[in-house]
Amino acid sequence: MNALKEKVIKSILSITAFASIAFLIGIVVTLFANSLTALKGIDQIQFLFSSDWAPYYSPAEYGILSMVISSALIGITAALVCIPLGIGTALYLNEIAGSAQRKILKPVIEILAGIPSIIFGFFAMAVLAPFLQNIFDLPSGLCILTASLTLGIMTIPVITSIAEDALGFVPIGFKEASYALGGNRWQTLIKVTIPAAASGIITSIILAIGRIVGETMIVLMVAGGSLAIPTSILAPARPMTSTIAAEMGEAAYGSLHFSALFEIGLLLFFMTFILNFISERISKKYRLKLGQGR
Amino acid sequence: MKKSILKVLLSASIILSAGLGAFAAVIAEGSTTVLPIAQKTAESLMNANPAMDISIRGGGSGVGINSLLSGRCDIAMSSRAMKDGEKADAAKKKVNPKEYTIAMDAIVMIVHNKNAVTALTREQIKDIFTGKITNWKQLGGADKKIVVISRDGASGTFETFNELALNGEKVSKNALMQASNQNVASAVERAEGAIGYVGLGYIGRKVKVVSIEGITPSIETVLNKKYVYSRSLFFYTNGAAKGAVKEYIDFVLSKAGQDMIKELGFVPLNQGKK
């Protein structure tokens, strides 16, 4: 009886485990299949290296360079916001905060993680954009900086929760050894604790960047959406996700335009895939260095 | 057991085929601008009358008219009048297109409330949106950079604007892109140098409407065709509509149909009269 039960449970679990693989394969196949028309019908050099995007124009133009640059620029500036704040929070929680502070801080950060991105978008549109517009005397507050600040704040919890876990996993023996050798708290933190938790911290950063690059609603609402290649972070921009979201609904099914949007999605998928791959490699490398099997 | 299933299936298929026979199928094809009107009215008519079967296809005005001429659809939806070439083609194919104006479509230019410029010409609008004019100073306003706000290239409003105001020319790359009429209005409301365009149904109190060639857009100036950024939306049928096609067109032109058209942001035809 028990053997049967075990078998049933085992097979159910393996089905669920393989389900995500099936979904992943399904998504990749769909992306590819729908991109085929664009891959064949659009000169790929032009697609990647031109920033003329005018599907409505005749002849239609499909160039996504400015969108790729916009996505990258927004990703980098948002990372500059969320990395120091996120890791700082994690260090504080792990090293300095007493249990009373932790009891308040942790749930608050988790609530931040649970806020839907459209709420962040509303906040950015109604408060942040007019504020930045006044400070920098911009023609419009809808720009890369507005989007990046919002995305950066949104992804703080992603970094904090993973990095804090990683810091918590550092064996107490490591720190004790450092103290025993005469290291003070700061030296222990910088030389021992952070390097020991590096794999987790780097993973958290890369996951956060992946989240930023893939985020759609916020950039659609506050990045401005101009197609010119952005010259500064105070310029408006139109990242890849915005274009897909804005145009997919009204592009005729099966048309070249429709397919081009899928190809942008395919490219986006590869970008996040590469990010994940890098994070996997880096975290492995640090694990081996410490001789930890975790 | 098996027999009863068979019976059920058999009777179901009989009922189904009988039902199908009674269905009145209407096919409408054409302009993507008219598409939302056709979809909304068709859905509501089909709900009210289950015997109606209306299928709506996009493709563009030209595609719709072509389909009508070769008998592939009952109604061609069009955001422009038939061209002379198409009329000649129709005569050749012995099709007698009958035109029904079902609604009007108008684009309104809006600027920030503080903007002193309240009147522009078509030429100026074109220069602003293609990036030739970049400062309000050039138009007699304050020395402020013009923030051009446009819709994404796939939207019907953009398509209308592009045809009516830009004659198909490309919008400047510096234009900000917004995904809906409301977003355009709120972006214009927040940026002092902004200019944007929305459907006539979306003007709020927080933005200023610009008159074009001296004419302020309103339902009256659109219906009497004095306002230039407006156009009629048409249904074309082969000969006078009859049967289910007539029933559908009548519904679109009825009070209920025109109310839906107004809801969608277009200008209904019976607004001025009441």
Side-chain angles (χ1 to χ4, degrees):
Chain A
M1 190 58 205
N2 260 347
L4 181 70
K5 209 170 159 189
E6 210 159 280
K7 251 188 186 166
V8 170
I9 291 172
K10 203 174 159 189
S11 54
I12 289 175
L13 286 180
S14 55
I15 288 172
T16 50
F18 281 106
S20 13
I21 296 180
F23 288 139
L24 182 65
I25 292 172
I27 287 169
V28 176
V29 168
T30 315
L31 277 175
F32 254 117
N34 282 299
S35 304
L36 270 181
T37 316
L39 286 166
K40 273 189 251 162
I42 302 169
D43 179 9
Q44 290 302 305
I45 303 279
Q46 198 143 57
F47 186 76
L48 293 173
F49 297 105
S50 147
S51 59
D52 290 316
W53 175 267
Y56 57 89
Y57 194 61
S58 65
E61 291 173 338
Y62 300 98
I64 64 163
L65 183 66
S66 69
M67 299 175 204
V68 177
I69 293 175
S70 298
S71 280
L73 208 54
I74 288 176
I76 292 166
T77 31
L80 290 179
V81 175
C82 71
I83 291 172
L85 285 173
I87 292 179
T89 314
L91 287 176
Y92 185 88
L93 278 177
N94 196 61
E95 296 291 321
I96 300 167
S99 68
Q101 279 180 329
R102 282 176 64 95
K103 256 184 206 155
I104 301 168
L105 275 174
K106 274 213 101 165
V108 169
I109 291 165
E110 267 146 33
I111 290 171
L112 194 62
I115 298 175
S117 63
I118 192 157
I119 307 286
F120 279 99
F122 270 137
F123 166 77
M125 214 170 174
V127 181
L128 198 59
F131 178 71
L132 292 173
Q133 188 179 341
N134 277 339
I135 285 190
F136 294 104
D137 193 23
L138 298 172
S140 163
L142 306 176
C143 65
I144 292 181
L145 185 64
T146 313
S148 301
L149 282 176
T150 318
L151 286 165
I153 294 166
M154 190 186 80
T155 38
I156 288 173
V158 176
I159 293 190
T160 301
S161 64
I162 299 173
E164 210 248 327
D165 276 349
L167 290 168
F169 274 128
V170 175
I172 192 80
F174 281 32
K175 288 188 205 169
E176 280 168 351
S178 167
Y179 292 139
L181 290 169
N184 62 23
R185 238 173 129 179
W186 173 248
Q187 286 167 328
T188 308
L189 182 66
I190 294 299
K191 296 256 161 92
V192 177
T193 316
I194 290 181
S199 81
I201 293 174
I202 291 166
T203 309
S204 75
I205 291 172
I206 290 176
L207 280 179
I209 294 176
R211 173 99 194 267
I212 290 165
V213 172
E215 169 57 36
T216 307
M217 206 58 228
I218 290 176
V219 285
L220 189 61
M221 290 170 86
V222 300
S226 110
L227 271 177
I229 293 176
T231 47
S232 85
I233 59 166
L234 294 176
R238 177 162 165 189
M240 300 155 84
T241 49
S242 284
T243 307
I244 301 177
E247 297 183 4
M248 189 53 98
E250 296 179 79
Y253 182 84
S255 65
L256 193 60
H257 182 197
F258 182 84
S259 181
L261 293 176
F262 262 96
E263 199 187 332
I264 299 178
L266 187 67
L267 207 64
L268 205 56
F269 174 82
F270 273 114
M271 282 166 70
T272 42
F273 180 80
I274 289 168
L275 279 177
N276 279 327
F277 182 74
I278 293 171
S279 90
E280 196 62 25
R281 289 299 287 270
I282 292 177
S283 61
K284 241 188 208 142
K285 190 179 153 202
Y286 276 93
R287 257 181 243 164
L288 292 177
K289 209 171 166 186
L290 280 170
Q292 282 245 295
R294 176 166 65 79
Chain B
M1 186 64 193
K2 257 190 183 162
K3 244 185 189 170
S4 66
I5 290 177
L6 205 69
K7 256 186 197 165
V8 169
L9 275 178
L10 207 66
S11 50
S13 65
I14 289 168
I15 291 168
L16 208 68
S17 55
L20 277 176
F23 266 174
V26 177
I27 300 171
E29 187 172 353
S31 163
T32 47
T33 313
V34 189
L35 199 69
I37 296 180
Q39 266 165 349
K40 187 144 192 196
T41 48
E43 263 168 39
S44 145
L45 185 60
M46 285 191 282
N47 278 341
N49 179 3
M52 280 294 267
D53 174 28
I54 307 168
S55 51
I56 313 283
R57 296 195 292 244
S61 302
V63 173
I65 289 170
N66 258 324
S67 281
L68 181 75
L69 297 189
S70 48
R72 285 194 302 269
C73 68
D74 304 303
I75 299 173
M77 310 182 283
S78 179
S79 55
R80 56 169 173 80
M82 263 176 95
K83 292 176 186 163
D84 289 341
E86 287 164 346
K87 280 180 189 159
D89 207 17
K92 226 182 278 166
K93 287 182 178 159
K94 302 217 164 83
V95 172
N96 175 27
K98 166 108 173 84
E99 181 181 289
Y100 294 87
T101 307
I102 57 154
M104 299 285 288
D105 186 13
I107 297 287
V108 177
M109 307 303 305
I110 52 174
V111 294
H112 191 269
N113 262 339
K114 282 190 191 158
N115 200 324
V117 178
T118 53
L120 292 166
T121 65
R122 300 183 77 159
E123 203 52 42
Q124 285 169 329
I125 295 284
K126 197 171 164 185
D127 287 348
I128 291 171
F129 277 82
T130 50
K132 274 182 215 135
I133 295 179
T134 54
N135 197 308
W136 286 107
K137 205 169 57 178
Q138 290 162 274
L139 300 163
D143 182 8
K144 221 166 186 82
K145 207 181 148 210
I146 298 180
V147 180
V148 177
I149 298 175
S150 181
R151 289 289 307 278
D152 51 285
S155 76
T157 312
F158 173 84
E159 192 192 17
T160 309
F161 176 77
N162 196 36
E163 273 168 35
L164 291 178
L166 306 183
N167 303 332
E169 275 190 43
K170 263 194 284 179
V171 173
S172 151
K173 274 189 204 164
N174 289 311
L176 303 194
M177 185 266 303
Q178 293 293 326
S180 72
N181 274 299
Q182 283 92 338
N183 284 352
V184 170
S186 69
V188 170
E189 184 191 318
R190 291 203 173 91
E192 257 186 66
I195 182 165
Y197 56 87
V198 293
L200 188 62
Y202 294 94
I203 317 168
R205 246 171 277 142
K206 292 170 175 170
V207 290
K208 213 185 251 181
V209 173
V210 180
S211 69
I212 308 295
E213 305 283 357
I215 307 284
T216 311
S218 69
I219 288 171
E220 286 72 42
T221 54
V222 169
L223 286 178
N224 67 21
K225 298 186 180 160
K226 284 203 173 121
Y227 181 64
V228 287
Y229 291 158
S230 68
R231 59 180 179 183
S232 306
L233 302 177
F234 304 104
F235 273 1
Y236 284 98
T237 55
N238 182 7
K242 42 185 186 288
V245 177
K246 182 173 183 338
E247 194 183 332
Y248 175 51
I249 295 179
D250 283 347
F251 178 72
V252 173
L253 294 172
S254 72
K255 173 93 175 66
Q258 294 289 314
D259 280 350
M260 285 173 205
I261 285 169
K262 193 178 177 194
E263 252 172 64
L264 289 166
F266 296 95
V267 182
L269 299 171
N270 54 5
Q271 259 294 315
K273 299 167 206 163
K274 268 225 165 140

